[in-house]
Amino acid sequence: MSTSRDRAAPAGRRVRRQAGFEAGILLRNGEQLLVAIILPVLALVGLQVANVPDLGTNRIALVAPGVLALAVASTAFTGQAISSAFDRRNGVLRLLGTTPLGRGGLVGGKMIATSAVLAIHLVVLAIMAALFGWRPMAGGILPGLVTIVLGEACFVALALAVAGRMRAEAVLAVANLLWVLFLGLGLLLPTGVLPSAMAVVARILPSGALGDGLRSAFANGHWPIASWGVLIVWLALGAAVAARTFRWSD
């Protein structure tokens, strides 16, 4: 006798369908759009027209990468931490984990959806920045994209680590608090404009590594190897914590 698993769609199709479902939820989530698109746009406009902090004559060269970094953290960290925690509380993770999709397919679908939605956000923000005169260094496009991919993976891993054990309401508070801290610790503005002690801390955090890495790539055409190293360390740490502590049901 055939089983439901025998009649299930191929694994790749299941993951793609789940990714489409997850992406639709992310795009319809008003809070997610607020932190991933609206706030970065406001930051882009505000920092570009303001005179402080002093970012030199070509402000947009440093402002635009910081805004892109903010979008990466908002989509990959804040959005995924909160959605995963509430999905766990509501039994969605437990239910989907027992279907032919499986836990691996569920995680794969979330990663694909996050990447697709993030790509849309980044394109929108890049177009907005271009209207302000942003012209990234051609030689920095490839290292910038590598930095974005590493940053996304790092912040997704940290999101799952945060969402793994705490109650959904606690995850909501902690994720938003960390987002604010990341915002001020190298994500939006160069770590060099921070007080010296804060700058040292920010450079070894994923926020500073992502922000400074994108600024180094897009503004100067550099390959930010040191920033990649920091992101990889945090990625490994977040993945290890998530693997040990993440619960699929409350």
Side-chain angles (χ1 to χ4, degrees):
M1 179 181 296
S2 63
T3 65
S4 59
R5 185 175 293 272
D6 295 330
R7 296 192 298 271
R13 188 184 303 171
R14 296 197 298 267
V15 173
R16 289 194 298 271
R17 287 176 177 174
Q18 181 63 26
F21 175 74
E22 296 275 355
I25 292 176
L26 289 173
L27 291 173
R28 291 191 299 269
N29 188 316
E31 181 183 353
Q32 175 63 23
L33 291 177
L34 173 66
V35 298
I37 285 290
I38 298 176
L39 291 181
V41 167
L42 292 176
L44 174 68
V45 175
L47 287 172
Q48 182 59 22
V49 302
N51 296 321
V52 291
D54 183 10
L55 299 177
T57 56
N58 189 13
R59 294 181 64 86
I60 193 63
L62 297 180
V63 169
V67 168
L68 297 183
L70 177 60
V72 172
S74 298
T75 303
F77 177 73
T78 312
Q80 282 304 313
I82 294 172
S83 65
S84 297
F86 278 92
D87 282 349
R88 187 190 72 230
R89 189 191 69 174
N90 295 331
V92 175
L93 297 183
R94 181 180 66 250
L95 175 63
L96 291 177
T98 61
T99 66
L101 177 67
R103 294 181 176 180
L106 177 59
V107 173
K110 281 183 172 292
M111 287 295 298
I112 294 172
T114 301
S115 298
V117 171
L118 177 58
I120 295 172
H121 293 166
L122 293 178
V123 168
V124 171
L125 292 170
I127 292 173
M128 289 286 298
L131 295 177
F132 281 100
W134 182 49
R135 301 294 183 269
M137 296 284 291
I141 300 289
L142 179 57
L145 293 176
V146 172
T147 307
I148 287 173
V149 171
L150 283 176
E152 179 194 359
C154 173
F155 277 103
V156 167
L158 293 174
L160 295 179
V162 170
R165 285 281 179 180
M166 293 185 291
R167 294 175 54 193
E169 292 80 6
V171 172
L172 175 63
V174 170
N176 283 316
L177 175 60
L178 288 174
W179 182 85
V180 172
L181 292 176
F182 288 150
L183 178 69
L185 290 173
L187 198 62
L188 188 58
L189 294 173
T191 56
V193 305
L194 299 174
S196 57
M198 290 181 61
V200 172
V201 174
R203 291 187 185 107
I204 61 174
L205 292 177
S207 53
L210 176 59
D212 280 354
L214 289 182
R215 283 181 285 270
S216 177
F218 288 136
N220 301 312
H222 295 163
W223 290 70
I225 304 299
S227 295
W228 292 354
V230 174
L231 290 172
I232 290 171
V233 169
W234 281 101
L235 168 59
L237 179 61
V241 172
R244 290 180 62 87
T245 65
F246 194 87
R247 295 186 303 183
W248 292 83
S249 62
D250 284 338

